[in-house]
Amino acid sequence: MKKKLALACTECGSRNYSKEVGTKIRTERLEIKKYCRYCKKHTLHRETK
C-alpha cells in the first residue's frame, strides 16, 4: 500500500508537491531539491505531516 505525503518549500513554506511512497518504516523525513514557483528558484522541499 502507498502513502501520500506533501512536500513543502523550506524557504517560503508553501506546499507545492505531493508524492506517493511505500509504507516502509523511515526515520528521517524525505528531502528533495525541486522548483518552487513562488520563490522562482530551485529550493529544498521537505516532507510535511
Side-chain angles (χ1 to χ4, degrees):
M1 194 163 118
K2 296 205 176 207
K3 178 181 168 186
K4 204 169 196 182
L5 56 92
L7 296 173
C9 177
T10 55
E11 292 191 20
C12 67
S14 62
R15 293 181 180 173
N16 302 324
Y17 296 97
S18 62
K19 187 166 178 75
E20 283 189 9
V21 294
T23 56
K24 83 174 193 189
I25 298 172
R26 294 181 291 127
T27 57
E28 297 180 5
R29 290 190 178 190
L30 182 66
E31 294 182 345
I32 302 174
K33 203 165 195 180
K34 291 187 119 352
Y35 182 77
C36 178
R37 63 181 177 174
Y38 302 106
C39 298
K40 295 187 168 79
K41 58 184 175 180
H42 283 86
T43 59
L44 189 67
H45 284 69
R46 284 198 186 121
E47 173 187 345
T48 59
K49 290 186 177 182

Coordinates of all heavy atoms in Angstrom, one line a residue:
M1 N 0.8 -1.2 0.0 CA 0.0 0.0 0.0 C 0.9 1.2 0.0 O 1.9 1.3 0.6 CB -0.9 0.0 1.2 CG -2.0 1.0 1.1 SD -3.2 0.6 2.3 CE -3.2 2.1 3.3
K2 N 0.5 2.3 -0.7 CA 1.2 3.5 -0.8 C 0.6 4.6 0.1 O -0.6 4.7 0.3 CB 1.3 4.0 -2.2 CG 2.1 3.0 -3.1 CD 2.7 3.6 -4.2 CE 3.5 2.5 -4.9 NZ 4.6 3.1 -5.7
K3 N 1.5 5.5 0.6 CA 1.0 6.6 1.4 C 1.3 7.9 0.7 O 2.4 8.1 0.1 CB 1.8 6.5 2.7 CG 1.6 7.6 3.7 CD 2.5 7.4 4.9 CE 2.4 8.7 5.8 NZ 3.4 8.6 6.9
K4 N 0.4 8.8 0.7 CA 0.5 10.1 0.0 C 1.1 11.1 1.0 O 0.6 11.2 2.2 CB -0.8 10.6 -0.5 CG -0.7 11.5 -1.6 CD -2.1 11.7 -2.2 CE -2.0 12.3 -3.6 NZ -3.2 12.6 -4.2
L5 N 2.1 11.9 0.6 CA 2.6 12.9 1.5 C 2.8 14.2 0.7 O 2.9 14.2 -0.5 CB 4.0 12.4 2.1 CG 5.1 12.0 1.2 CD1 6.0 13.1 0.9 CD2 5.9 10.9 1.9
A6 N 2.9 15.3 1.5 CA 3.1 16.6 0.8 C 4.5 17.1 1.0 O 5.1 16.8 2.1 CB 2.1 17.6 1.5
L7 N 5.0 17.8 0.0 CA 6.4 18.4 0.1 C 6.2 19.9 0.2 O 5.6 20.5 -0.6 CB 7.2 18.0 -1.1 CG 7.5 16.5 -1.3 CD1 8.2 16.3 -2.6 CD2 8.4 16.0 -0.1
A8 N 6.9 20.5 1.2 CA 6.8 22.0 1.4 C 8.1 22.6 1.2 O 9.2 22.0 1.6 CB 6.3 22.3 2.8
C9 N 8.2 23.8 0.6 CA 9.4 24.6 0.4 C 9.9 25.0 1.8 O 9.2 25.4 2.6 CB 9.1 25.8 -0.5 SG 10.5 26.9 -0.7
T10 N 11.3 24.9 1.9 CA 11.9 25.3 3.2 C 12.0 26.8 3.3 O 12.1 27.3 4.4 CB 13.3 24.7 3.4 OG1 14.1 25.0 2.2 CG2 13.2 23.2 3.5
E11 N 12.0 27.5 2.2 CA 12.1 29.0 2.3 C 10.8 29.7 2.5 O 10.7 30.6 3.4 CB 12.8 29.5 1.0 CG 14.3 29.0 1.0 CD 15.1 29.7 -0.1 OE1 14.6 30.8 -0.6 OE2 16.1 29.1 -0.5
C12 N 9.8 29.4 1.7 CA 8.5 30.1 1.8 C 7.4 29.3 2.5 O 6.4 29.9 3.0 CB 8.0 30.6 0.5 SG 7.5 29.2 -0.6
G13 N 7.6 28.0 2.7 CA 6.7 27.2 3.4 C 5.5 26.7 2.6 O 4.6 26.0 3.2
S14 N 5.4 27.0 1.3 CA 4.2 26.6 0.6 C 4.3 25.1 0.2 O 5.4 24.6 -0.1 CB 4.1 27.4 -0.7 OG 5.2 27.3 -1.5
R15 N 3.2 24.5 0.2 CA 3.1 23.0 -0.1 C 2.9 22.9 -1.6 O 1.7 23.0 -2.1 CB 2.1 22.3 0.7 CG 2.4 22.3 2.1 CD 1.3 21.6 2.9 NE 1.7 21.6 4.3 CZ 0.9 21.2 5.3 NH1 -0.3 20.7 5.0 NH2 1.3 21.2 6.5
N16 N 3.9 22.7 -2.4 CA 3.9 22.7 -3.9 C 3.7 21.3 -4.5 O 3.1 21.2 -5.5 CB 5.2 23.3 -4.4 CG 5.4 24.7 -4.0 OD1 4.5 25.4 -3.8 ND2 6.7 25.0 -3.8
Y17 N 4.2 20.3 -3.9 CA 4.2 18.9 -4.5 C 3.6 17.9 -3.5 O 3.6 18.0 -2.3 CB 5.6 18.5 -4.8 CG 6.3 19.4 -5.8 CD1 7.1 20.4 -5.4 CD2 6.1 19.2 -7.2 CE1 7.7 21.2 -6.4 CE2 6.7 19.9 -8.1 CZ 7.5 21.0 -7.7 OH 8.1 21.8 -8.7
S18 N 3.0 16.8 -4.1 CA 2.6 15.7 -3.4 C 3.3 14.4 -4.0 O 3.6 14.4 -5.2 CB 1.1 15.5 -3.4 OG 0.6 15.3 -4.7
K19 N 3.5 13.4 -3.2 CA 4.3 12.3 -3.7 C 3.7 11.0 -3.0 O 3.3 11.1 -1.8 CB 5.7 12.4 -3.3 CG 6.6 11.4 -3.9 CD 8.1 11.8 -3.8 CE 9.0 10.8 -4.3 NZ 9.0 10.7 -5.8
E20 N 3.7 9.9 -3.7 CA 3.3 8.6 -3.1 C 4.5 7.8 -2.8 O 5.4 7.7 -3.7 CB 2.4 7.9 -4.1 CG 1.0 8.4 -4.1 CD 0.0 7.5 -4.9 OE1 0.5 6.4 -5.3 OE2 -1.1 7.9 -5.2
V21 N 4.6 7.3 -1.6 CA 5.7 6.5 -1.2 C 5.2 5.2 -0.6 O 4.1 5.1 -0.1 CB 6.7 7.2 -0.2 CG1 7.3 8.4 -0.8 CG2 5.9 7.6 1.0
G22 N 6.1 4.2 -0.5 CA 5.7 2.9 0.1 C 5.6 3.1 1.6 O 6.1 4.1 2.2
T23 N 5.0 2.1 2.2 CA 4.8 2.2 3.7 C 5.9 1.6 4.5 O 5.7 1.3 5.6 CB 3.4 1.5 4.0 OG1 3.5 0.2 3.6 CG2 2.3 2.2 3.4
K24 N 7.1 1.5 3.9 CA 8.2 1.0 4.7 C 8.6 2.0 5.8 O 8.3 3.2 5.6 CB 9.4 0.7 3.9 CG 10.3 1.8 3.5 CD 11.5 1.3 2.8 CE 12.6 2.4 2.8 NZ 13.7 2.2 1.9
I25 N 9.1 1.6 6.9 CA 9.4 2.5 8.1 C 10.6 3.3 7.8 O 11.7 2.8 7.5 CB 9.6 1.6 9.3 CG1 8.3 0.8 9.6 CG2 10.0 2.5 10.5 CD1 8.5 -0.2 10.8
R26 N 10.4 4.6 7.8 CA 11.6 5.6 7.6 C 11.7 6.4 8.9 O 10.7 6.8 9.5 CB 11.3 6.5 6.5 CG 11.2 5.8 5.1 CD 11.0 6.7 4.0 NE 9.6 7.2 4.0 CZ 9.3 8.5 4.0 NH1 10.2 9.4 3.9 NH2 8.0 8.9 4.1
T27 N 12.9 6.7 9.3 CA 13.2 7.5 10.5 C 13.4 9.0 10.1 O 13.1 9.9 11.0 CB 14.4 7.0 11.2 OG1 15.5 7.0 10.4 CG2 14.2 5.6 11.7
E28 N 13.8 9.3 8.9 CA 14.0 10.7 8.5 C 13.0 11.1 7.5 O 12.4 10.3 6.8 CB 15.4 10.8 7.9 CG 16.6 10.5 8.8 CD 17.9 10.6 8.1 OE1 17.9 11.0 6.9 OE2 18.9 10.3 8.8
R29 N 12.8 12.4 7.5 CA 11.8 13.0 6.5 C 12.5 13.1 5.1 O 13.7 13.3 5.0 CB 11.4 14.4 6.9 CG 10.5 14.3 8.2 CD 9.9 15.6 8.4 NE 9.0 15.6 9.6 CZ 8.2 16.5 9.9 NH1 8.2 17.7 9.2 NH2 7.4 16.4 10.9
L30 N 11.6 12.9 4.1 CA 12.1 13.0 2.7 C 12.5 14.4 2.4 O 11.8 15.4 2.7 CB 11.0 12.5 1.8 CG 11.3 12.4 0.3 CD1 12.4 11.3 0.1 CD2 10.0 12.1 -0.4
E31 N 13.7 14.6 1.8 CA 14.1 15.9 1.3 C 14.5 15.8 -0.1 O 15.4 15.0 -0.5 CB 15.3 16.4 2.2 CG 15.0 16.7 3.6 CD 16.1 17.2 4.4 OE1 17.3 17.0 3.9 OE2 15.9 17.7 5.5
I32 N 13.9 16.7 -1.0 CA 14.2 16.7 -2.4 C 14.4 18.2 -2.8 O 13.6 19.0 -2.4 CB 13.1 16.1 -3.2 CG1 12.8 14.6 -2.8 CG2 13.4 16.1 -4.7 CD1 11.6 14.0 -3.4
K33 N 15.3 18.4 -3.7 CA 15.5 19.7 -4.3 C 14.6 19.8 -5.5 O 14.8 19.1 -6.5 CB 17.0 19.9 -4.7 CG 17.4 21.4 -4.7 CD 18.9 21.5 -4.7 CE 19.2 23.0 -4.4 NZ 20.6 23.2 -4.4
K34 N 13.6 20.8 -5.5 CA 12.7 20.9 -6.5 C 12.4 22.4 -6.8 O 12.8 23.3 -6.0 CB 11.3 20.3 -6.2 CG 11.4 18.8 -6.1 CD 10.0 18.2 -5.9 CE 9.5 17.3 -6.9 NZ 9.9 17.0 -8.2
Y35 N 11.8 22.7 -7.9 CA 11.5 24.1 -8.3 C 10.3 24.6 -7.5 O 9.2 24.0 -7.5 CB 11.3 24.2 -9.8 CG 11.0 25.6 -10.2 CD1 12.1 26.5 -10.4 CD2 9.7 26.1 -10.5 CE1 11.8 27.8 -10.8 CE2 9.5 27.4 -10.9 CZ 10.6 28.3 -11.1 OH 10.4 29.6 -11.5
C36 N 10.4 25.8 -6.9 CA 9.3 26.5 -6.2 C 8.8 27.6 -7.1 O 9.6 28.5 -7.4 CB 9.7 27.0 -4.8 SG 8.4 27.8 -3.9
R37 N 7.5 27.6 -7.5 CA 7.0 28.6 -8.4 C 6.8 30.0 -7.6 O 6.7 31.0 -8.3 CB 5.8 28.2 -9.0 CG 4.6 27.9 -8.1 CD 3.4 27.4 -8.8 NE 2.4 27.1 -7.9 CZ 1.1 26.8 -8.3 NH1 0.8 26.8 -9.5 NH2 0.3 26.5 -7.4
Y38 N 6.7 29.9 -6.3 CA 6.6 31.2 -5.5 C 7.9 31.9 -5.3 O 8.0 33.1 -5.4 CB 5.9 30.9 -4.2 CG 4.5 30.2 -4.4 CD1 4.3 28.9 -4.2 CD2 3.4 31.0 -4.9 CE1 3.1 28.3 -4.4 CE2 2.2 30.4 -5.2 CZ 2.0 29.0 -4.9 OH 0.8 28.4 -5.1
C39 N 9.0 31.1 -5.0 CA 10.3 31.7 -4.9 C 11.0 31.9 -6.2 O 12.0 32.6 -6.3 CB 11.2 30.7 -4.0 SG 10.6 30.4 -2.4
K40 N 10.5 31.2 -7.2 CA 11.0 31.2 -8.6 C 12.5 30.8 -8.7 O 13.3 31.3 -9.4 CB 10.9 32.6 -9.2 CG 9.5 33.1 -9.4 CD 9.4 34.4 -10.1 CE 8.0 34.6 -10.6 NZ 7.1 35.1 -9.6
K41 N 12.8 29.7 -7.9 CA 14.1 29.1 -8.0 C 14.0 27.7 -7.4 O 13.0 27.3 -6.8 CB 15.2 29.9 -7.2 CG 14.8 30.1 -5.7 CD 15.8 31.0 -5.1 CE 15.4 31.4 -3.7 NZ 16.4 32.2 -3.0
H42 N 15.1 26.9 -7.6 CA 15.2 25.6 -7.0 C 15.5 25.6 -5.5 O 16.5 26.3 -5.2 CB 16.2 24.7 -7.8 CG 15.7 24.3 -9.1 ND1 15.8 25.0 -10.2 CD2 15.1 23.1 -9.5 CE1 15.3 24.4 -11.2 NE2 14.9 23.2 -10.8
T43 N 14.7 25.0 -4.7 CA 14.9 25.0 -3.2 C 14.7 23.6 -2.7 O 14.2 22.8 -3.4 CB 13.9 26.0 -2.5 OG1 12.6 25.6 -2.8 CG2 14.1 27.4 -3.0
L44 N 15.1 23.5 -1.5 CA 14.9 22.2 -0.8 C 13.5 22.1 -0.3 O 12.9 23.0 0.3 CB 15.9 22.1 0.4 CG 16.0 20.7 1.1 CD1 16.6 19.7 0.2 CD2 16.8 20.8 2.4
H45 N 12.8 20.9 -0.6 CA 11.5 20.7 -0.2 C 11.5 19.5 0.7 O 12.1 18.5 0.5 CB 10.6 20.4 -1.4 CG 10.2 21.6 -2.2 ND1 11.1 22.3 -3.0 CD2 9.0 22.2 -2.4 CE1 10.5 23.3 -3.5 NE2 9.2 23.2 -3.2
R46 N 10.8 19.6 1.9 CA 10.8 18.6 2.9 C 9.4 18.0 3.0 O 8.4 18.7 2.8 CB 11.2 19.2 4.2 CG 12.7 19.4 4.4 CD 13.1 19.5 5.8 NE 14.5 19.8 5.8 CZ 15.0 20.9 6.4 NH1 14.2 21.8 7.0 NH2 16.3 21.1 6.4
E47 N 9.3 16.8 3.5 CA 8.1 16.1 3.8 C 7.4 16.8 5.0 O 8.0 17.1 6.0 CB 8.4 14.6 4.1 CG 7.2 13.8 4.5 CD 7.6 12.5 5.0 OE1 8.7 12.0 4.7 OE2 6.7 11.8 5.7
T48 N 6.1 17.0 4.8 CA 5.3 17.6 6.0 C 4.3 16.5 6.4 O 4.1 15.5 5.8 CB 4.5 18.8 5.5 OG1 3.7 18.5 4.4 CG2 5.5 19.9 5.1
K49 N 3.7 16.8 7.6 CA 2.7 15.8 8.2 C 1.4 16.0 7.6 O 1.0 17.0 7.0 CB 2.7 16.0 9.7 CG 3.9 15.6 10.4 CD 3.7 15.6 11.8 CE 5.0 15.1 12.5 NZ 4.9 15.1 13.9

